[in-house]
Amino acid sequence: MTTNPVRPRLIATDLDGTLLCPSGTVSERTAAALAAAEEAGLQVVFVTGRPPRWMQQISPHIGGHGVAICSNGGAVFDVRQGEMVEVFPLGPADALAVITALREALPGTAFAFEHLDGFAREPEYELRMWGDDDVRPAAPAEELLAPQGRVRGLYKVLAQHSDLDPDAFLAEARRVAGHLAEITRSAPVALLEISALGVTKASTLASWCREQGIDRSEVVAFGDMPNDLEMLAWAGTSYAVANAHPEVLAAVAQHTVSNEHDGVAVAIEELLERG
């Protein structure tokens, strides 16, 4: 990716591992850089694997529009209003086809579901993330995804394995089910994120930009993990933070310093200095 000569109009950034500190917070320097970008007339859009229910803590930094692209493009969420703007659903039949393929190829895989009413999981799915210790529906996938089940408006499936290497898990899952859905990962553990075929961070960001009259050449994107690759390839200018996954570092020509050292803020400051 070469440096974009067009003046940027939109900054699209991943959150965890990219914009946020290792503690999961927005540093003072990063907050100031985001505010400066908005004041200079650039839109800032958070494009994240996080579900909408994990977005409230970044509300003060969301920008004038108040909207975030969540769940790897599966949902567009108005953080300030707490309302879903748009959902790109994964049909129950397609989800069950993916689940069947992964169970057969990778025994021991357990599943969870992000949907319009929240979060549901299989009993074997281990709760590891913040906010997941609430009481949530727990039942076999077939029961949860049945027509009268407790999952309504599914937009992301999570697949978890306790033993596999994360990259090996992703590679095998794509081999056996990549024709059925989009399969990616962003966590340091064996946890896959599954969306409807054709739904990625890039596809939903592209849709958002079309609505705003913004060309891809006017977009600057930041990321760190495999779930960012499509977005980084789509944007006119892309940066990988120094702590990014090796595949991301290899795919993106421009690098900034790590999230621990405010890499996104450093790049934004440089962009604003260039005018």
Side-chain angles (χ1 to χ4, degrees), residues 97-141:
V98 173
I99 289 167
T100 299
L102 295 187
R103 280 179 178 161
E104 291 177 354
L106 299 159
T109 303
F111 299 91
F113 310 93
E114 298 285 356
H115 60 107
L116 288 176
D117 295 325
F119 177 78
R121 65 182 177 92
E122 294 191 305
E124 299 81 9
Y125 185 93
E126 181 182 349
L127 298 177
R128 298 174 177 172
M129 307 298 285
W130 67 90
D132 281 348
D133 52 355
D134 301 336
V135 175
R136 307 284 184 181

Coordinates of all heavy atoms in Angstrom, one line a residue, residues 97-141:
A97 N -24.8 -25.0 9.4 CA -23.9 -25.7 8.4 C -22.4 -25.5 8.8 O -21.6 -26.5 8.8 CB -24.1 -25.2 7.0
V98 N -22.1 -24.3 9.2 CA -20.7 -24.0 9.7 C -20.4 -24.8 11.0 O -19.4 -25.5 11.1 CB -20.5 -22.5 9.9 CG1 -19.1 -22.3 10.6 CG2 -20.6 -21.8 8.6
I99 N -21.3 -24.8 11.9 CA -21.2 -25.5 13.2 C -21.0 -27.0 12.9 O -20.1 -27.6 13.5 CB -22.4 -25.2 14.1 CG1 -22.3 -23.8 14.6 CG2 -22.4 -26.2 15.3 CD1 -23.6 -23.3 15.2
T100 N -21.8 -27.6 12.1 CA -21.6 -29.0 11.8 C -20.3 -29.3 11.2 O -19.6 -30.3 11.6 CB -22.7 -29.4 10.8 OG1 -24.0 -29.2 11.4 CG2 -22.6 -30.9 10.4
A101 N -19.8 -28.5 10.2 CA -18.5 -28.7 9.6 C -17.4 -28.6 10.6 O -16.4 -29.4 10.6 CB -18.3 -27.7 8.4
L102 N -17.4 -27.6 11.5 CA -16.4 -27.5 12.5 C -16.4 -28.6 13.5 O -15.3 -29.0 13.9 CB -16.5 -26.1 13.1 CG -16.3 -24.9 12.2 CD1 -16.2 -23.6 13.0 CD2 -15.0 -25.0 11.4
R103 N -17.5 -29.0 13.9 CA -17.6 -30.1 14.9 C -17.0 -31.4 14.3 O -16.3 -32.1 15.0 CB -19.1 -30.3 15.3 CG -19.7 -29.4 16.3 CD -21.1 -29.7 16.6 NE -21.7 -28.9 17.6 CZ -23.0 -28.7 17.7 NH1 -23.8 -29.4 16.9 NH2 -23.5 -28.0 18.7
E104 N -17.3 -31.6 13.0 CA -16.8 -32.9 12.4 C -15.3 -32.8 12.2 O -14.6 -33.8 12.5 CB -17.5 -33.1 11.1 CG -18.9 -33.4 11.2 CD -19.6 -33.6 9.8 OE1 -18.9 -33.3 8.8 OE2 -20.8 -34.0 9.8
A105 N -14.7 -31.7 11.8 CA -13.3 -31.5 11.5 C -12.5 -31.2 12.8 O -11.3 -31.6 12.9 CB -13.1 -30.4 10.5
L106 N -13.1 -30.6 13.8 CA -12.4 -30.1 14.9 C -13.2 -30.4 16.2 O -13.8 -29.5 16.8 CB -12.1 -28.6 14.8 CG -11.3 -28.2 13.6 CD1 -11.5 -26.7 13.3 CD2 -9.8 -28.4 13.9
P107 N -13.2 -31.6 16.6 CA -14.0 -32.0 17.8 C -13.5 -31.2 19.0 O -12.4 -30.9 19.2 CB -13.7 -33.5 18.0 CG -13.3 -34.0 16.6 CD -12.6 -32.8 16.0
G108 N -14.5 -30.9 19.8 CA -14.2 -30.1 21.0 C -14.5 -28.6 20.8 O -14.3 -27.8 21.7
T109 N -14.9 -28.2 19.6 CA -15.3 -26.8 19.4 C -16.6 -26.5 20.0 O -17.6 -27.2 19.9 CB -15.3 -26.5 17.9 OG1 -14.1 -26.9 17.3 CG2 -15.6 -25.0 17.6
A110 N -16.7 -25.4 20.7 CA -17.9 -24.9 21.3 C -18.3 -23.6 20.8 O -17.4 -22.8 20.3 CB -17.8 -24.8 22.9
F111 N -19.6 -23.2 20.8 CA -20.1 -22.1 20.1 C -20.9 -21.1 21.0 O -21.5 -21.5 21.9 CB -20.9 -22.5 18.9 CG -20.2 -23.4 17.9 CD1 -20.1 -24.8 18.1 CD2 -19.5 -22.8 16.9 CE1 -19.4 -25.5 17.2 CE2 -18.8 -23.6 16.0 CZ -18.7 -24.9 16.1
A112 N -20.8 -19.8 20.6 CA -21.6 -18.8 21.2 C -22.1 -17.9 20.1 O -21.6 -17.9 19.0 CB -20.8 -18.0 22.2
F113 N -23.1 -17.0 20.4 CA -23.8 -16.3 19.4 C -24.1 -14.8 19.9 O -24.6 -14.6 20.9 CB -25.2 -17.0 19.1 CG -25.0 -18.5 18.9 CD1 -25.1 -19.4 19.9 CD2 -24.6 -18.9 17.6 CE1 -24.9 -20.7 19.7 CE2 -24.4 -20.2 17.4 CZ -24.5 -21.2 18.4
E114 N -23.7 -13.9 19.0 CA -24.1 -12.5 19.2 C -25.3 -12.2 18.3 O -25.3 -12.5 17.1 CB -23.0 -11.6 18.7 CG -21.7 -11.7 19.6 CD -21.8 -11.1 20.9 OE1 -22.8 -10.5 21.3 OE2 -20.8 -11.3 21.7
H115 N -26.4 -11.7 18.9 CA -27.6 -11.5 18.2 C -28.3 -10.2 18.7 O -27.9 -9.6 19.7 CB -28.5 -12.7 18.3 CG -28.9 -13.1 19.7 ND1 -30.2 -12.9 20.2 CD2 -28.2 -13.6 20.7 CE1 -30.2 -13.3 21.4 NE2 -29.0 -13.8 21.8
L116 N -29.5 -9.9 18.1 CA -30.1 -8.7 18.5 C -30.5 -8.5 19.9 O -30.6 -7.4 20.5 CB -31.4 -8.5 17.6 CG -31.1 -8.2 16.1 CD1 -32.5 -8.2 15.4 CD2 -30.4 -6.9 16.0
D117 N -30.8 -9.6 20.6 CA -31.2 -9.6 22.0 C -30.0 -9.8 22.9 O -30.2 -9.9 24.2 CB -32.3 -10.7 22.3 CG -33.5 -10.4 21.5 OD1 -33.9 -9.2 21.4 OD2 -34.2 -11.3 21.1
G118 N -28.8 -9.9 22.4 CA -27.6 -10.0 23.3 C -26.7 -11.2 22.9 O -26.2 -11.3 21.8
F119 N -26.5 -12.1 23.9 CA -25.5 -13.1 23.8 C -26.0 -14.4 24.3 O -26.7 -14.5 25.3 CB -24.3 -12.7 24.6 CG -23.1 -13.7 24.7 CD1 -22.2 -13.8 23.7 CD2 -22.9 -14.5 25.9 CE1 -21.2 -14.7 23.7 CE2 -21.9 -15.4 25.9 CZ -21.0 -15.5 24.9
A120 N -25.8 -15.5 23.6 CA -26.1 -16.8 24.0 C -25.0 -17.8 23.7 O -24.1 -17.5 22.9 CB -27.4 -17.3 23.2
R121 N -25.0 -18.9 24.4 CA -23.8 -19.8 24.2 C -24.3 -21.3 24.5 O -25.3 -21.5 25.1 CB -22.7 -19.5 25.2 CG -23.1 -19.6 26.7 CD -22.0 -19.2 27.6 NE -22.5 -19.3 29.0 CZ -22.3 -20.4 29.8 NH1 -21.7 -21.5 29.3 NH2 -22.8 -20.4 31.0
E122 N -23.4 -22.2 24.0 CA -23.5 -23.6 24.4 C -22.9 -23.7 25.8 O -22.1 -23.0 26.2 CB -22.8 -24.4 23.4 CG -23.4 -24.4 22.0 CD -22.8 -25.5 21.1 OE1 -21.6 -25.6 21.0 OE2 -23.6 -26.3 20.6
P123 N -23.4 -24.7 26.5 CA -22.9 -24.9 27.9 C -21.4 -25.1 27.9 O -20.7 -24.8 28.9 CB -23.6 -26.2 28.4 CG -24.9 -26.2 27.6 CD -24.5 -25.7 26.2
E124 N -20.8 -25.7 26.9 CA -19.4 -26.0 26.9 C -18.5 -24.8 26.5 O -17.3 -24.8 26.7 CB -19.1 -27.1 25.8 CG -19.8 -28.4 26.1 CD -21.2 -28.5 25.6 OE1 -21.6 -27.5 24.9 OE2 -22.0 -29.4 26.0
Y125 N -19.2 -23.7 26.1 CA -18.4 -22.5 25.7 C -18.0 -21.8 27.0 O -18.8 -21.4 27.8 CB -19.3 -21.6 24.9 CG -18.6 -20.4 24.4 CD1 -18.0 -20.4 23.1 CD2 -18.5 -19.2 25.1 CE1 -17.3 -19.2 22.6 CE2 -17.9 -18.1 24.6 CZ -17.3 -18.1 23.4 OH -16.6 -17.0 22.9
E126 N -16.7 -21.6 27.2 CA -16.1 -21.1 28.4 C -16.1 -19.5 28.3 O -15.6 -18.9 27.4 CB -14.7 -21.5 28.6 CG -14.0 -21.0 29.8 CD -12.5 -21.4 30.0 OE1 -12.1 -22.3 29.2 OE2 -11.8 -20.9 30.8
L127 N -16.7 -18.9 29.3 CA -16.8 -17.5 29.4 C -15.4 -16.9 29.9 O -15.0 -17.2 31.0 CB -17.9 -17.0 30.3 CG -19.3 -17.4 29.9 CD1 -20.3 -17.0 31.0 CD2 -19.7 -16.9 28.6
R128 N -14.8 -16.1 29.0 CA -13.4 -15.6 29.3 C -13.4 -14.1 29.2 O -12.4 -13.5 29.7 CB -12.4 -16.2 28.3 CG -12.3 -17.7 28.3 CD -11.4 -18.1 27.1 NE -11.2 -19.5 27.2 CZ -10.5 -20.2 26.2 NH1 -10.1 -19.5 25.1 NH2 -10.3 -21.5 26.3
M129 N -14.3 -13.4 28.6 CA -14.2 -12.0 28.4 C -15.1 -11.2 29.3 O -16.0 -11.7 29.9 CB -14.7 -11.7 26.9 CG -13.9 -12.6 25.9 SD -12.2 -12.3 25.8 CE -12.1 -10.7 25.0
W130 N -14.7 -9.9 29.5 CA -15.5 -9.1 30.4 C -16.9 -8.9 29.9 O -17.2 -8.9 28.7 CB -14.8 -7.7 30.5 CG -14.8 -6.9 29.3 CD1 -15.7 -6.0 28.9 CD2 -13.8 -6.9 28.3 NE1 -15.4 -5.4 27.7 CE2 -14.2 -5.9 27.3 CE3 -12.6 -7.6 28.1 CZ2 -13.5 -5.7 26.1 CZ3 -11.9 -7.3 26.9 CH2 -12.3 -6.4 26.0
G131 N -17.8 -8.9 30.9 CA -19.2 -8.7 30.5 C -19.9 -10.0 30.2 O -21.1 -9.9 30.0
D132 N -19.2 -11.1 30.1 CA -19.8 -12.3 29.8 C -20.2 -13.2 31.0 O -20.7 -14.3 30.9 CB -18.9 -13.2 28.9 CG -19.0 -12.7 27.4 OD1 -19.9 -11.9 27.1 OD2 -18.1 -13.2 26.6
D133 N -20.0 -12.6 32.2 CA -20.3 -13.4 33.4 C -21.7 -13.2 33.8 O -22.1 -13.7 34.9 CB -19.3 -13.0 34.5 CG -19.2 -11.5 34.8 OD1 -19.9 -10.7 34.0 OD2 -18.6 -11.1 35.7
D134 N -22.5 -12.4 33.1 CA -23.9 -12.3 33.4 C -24.6 -13.6 33.0 O -24.1 -14.4 32.3 CB -24.5 -11.1 32.5 CG -23.9 -9.8 32.8 OD1 -23.3 -9.6 33.9 OD2 -23.9 -8.9 31.9
V135 N -25.8 -13.7 33.5 CA -26.6 -14.9 33.2 C -27.0 -14.8 31.7 O -27.7 -13.8 31.3 CB -27.8 -15.0 34.1 CG1 -28.7 -16.2 33.7 CG2 -27.4 -15.2 35.6
R136 N -26.7 -15.7 30.9 CA -27.0 -15.8 29.5 C -27.6 -17.1 29.1 O -27.3 -18.1 29.8 CB -25.8 -15.5 28.6 CG -24.9 -14.3 29.0 CD -25.6 -13.0 28.5 NE -24.7 -11.9 28.8 CZ -25.0 -10.6 28.5 NH1 -26.2 -10.4 27.9 NH2 -24.2 -9.7 28.8
P137 N -28.4 -17.2 28.1 CA -29.0 -18.5 27.7 C -27.9 -19.4 27.3 O -26.9 -19.1 26.6 CB -29.8 -18.1 26.4 CG -30.1 -16.7 26.6 CD -29.0 -16.1 27.3
A138 N -27.9 -20.6 27.9 CA -27.0 -21.7 27.6 C -27.7 -22.9 27.2 O -28.5 -23.5 27.9 CB -26.1 -22.0 28.8
A139 N -27.5 -23.4 25.9 CA -28.2 -24.5 25.4 C -27.4 -25.0 24.1 O -26.6 -24.2 23.6 CB -29.6 -24.2 25.0
P140 N -27.7 -26.2 23.6 CA -27.0 -26.6 22.4 C -27.4 -25.7 21.2 O -28.4 -25.0 21.2 CB -27.6 -28.0 22.1 CG -28.0 -28.5 23.5 CD -28.5 -27.3 24.2
A141 N -26.4 -25.5 20.3 CA -26.7 -24.6 19.2 C -28.0 -24.9 18.4 O -28.7 -23.9 18.0 CB -25.5 -24.7 18.2

